Amino acid sequence: MAVHEIQRFSNSERFWHITGAATFIVLAVSGLGLYARELSWLTVLTGGPYLSKWVHFLAGLVFALCQVMNFVQWRRDCSEWAEVDGDWLRKSGGYLWSSHAEVPEQGRFNTGQKIMFWSTSLESLGLLTTGIVLWVPFVFPKGIASLSLLFHAFFGVTLIMLIVIHVYLATAANPGTFRAMWTGRVSAGWARFHHARWWKEVDRP
Ligand code: HEM
């Protein structure tokens, strides 16, 4: 590791996040293809209408496991709430009506990332439970199966929207962030700019 670089993510964190991201893409493509008739052509990418159901089911199980592992690894960092978080929200994280210079120093994850963590964790739990009902609907009362279909679609579509925003923030909006997950390392300048409190606490070479 170069002297001016800082370790941001461990190999295990990267493995579970990248596997989760890859399975999410498979889930989004197969899910949209199975759900909407207008998008059924998407199932061509995941093996046709019959195979897509199995691809969606198996990718869903892998995705759920990745989310459990991400939860275990990041829950502590994402559970620290302090006054600075309120301040971060009031200043829209420096993205909308305030500038980055006005935003308070952030720890390993900023307030927006913590909200993202809890939203994706809860949405994933919702997708898993409703998904299990939909896999064996005859085991449950009819009302539960219909509600599961409704909520599975709702969680799926809102999670896709969240991830589009997440990918934008993790790439084009904040240059130098994507490599944090890809290589596990960030530049000292990036760490000081985005997570100054974490940068002060972290062990540096
Ligand atoms: C599909 C492509 C994806 C890309 C390119 C991507 C990229 C990234 C990057 C670069 C980070 C590190 C941010 C940092 O160091 O500050 C990150 C963190 C994170 N990712 Fe992703 N991600 C993707 C998909 C997902 C999915 C599908 C989920 C969950 C459903 C997810 C959940 C998270 C969470 C909870 C974090 C930590 C908090 C945060 O940075 O928001 N990501 N992601």
Side-chain angles (χ1 to χ4, degrees), residues 25-82:
I25 293 168
V26 174
L27 283 168
V29 170
S30 54
L32 288 172
L34 289 168
Y35 187 70
R37 192 176 302 182
E38 298 76 16
L39 296 173
S40 60
W41 55 271
L42 278 174
T43 57
V44 173
L45 300 170
T46 44
Y50 176 74
L51 210 61
S52 287
K53 280 188 188 164
W54 280 97
V55 169
H56 193 76
F57 173 70
L58 295 174
L61 294 182
V62 178
F63 177 72
L65 175 65
C66 294
Q67 291 304 92
V68 169
M69 296 309 290
N70 281 337
F71 185 83
V72 170
Q73 299 182 125
W74 290 338
R75 74 189 189 289
R76 263 193 217 104
D77 289 320
C78 291
S79 299
E80 281 178 11
W81 298 94

Side-chain angles (χ1 to χ4, degrees), residues 8-9 17 20-22 24-25 63 67 70 74 78 108-110 112-114 116-118 120-121 124 159 163 166-167 170-171 177-182 186 190 194-195:
R8 179 148 172 81
F9 292 112
H17 177 276
F24 177 79
I25 293 168
F63 177 72
Q67 291 304 92
N70 281 337
W74 290 338
C78 291
R108 189 179 185 211
F109 293 117
N110 67 35
Q113 289 177 301
K114 290 187 238 176
M116 162 76 195
F117 168 84
W118 286 102
T120 54
S121 299
S124 303
L159 187 58
I163 297 304
H166 172 64
V167 171
T171 55
T177 305
F178 182 74
R179 74 185 280 256
M181 197 49 86
W182 196 246
V186 289
W190 182 95
H194 291 287
H195 302 274

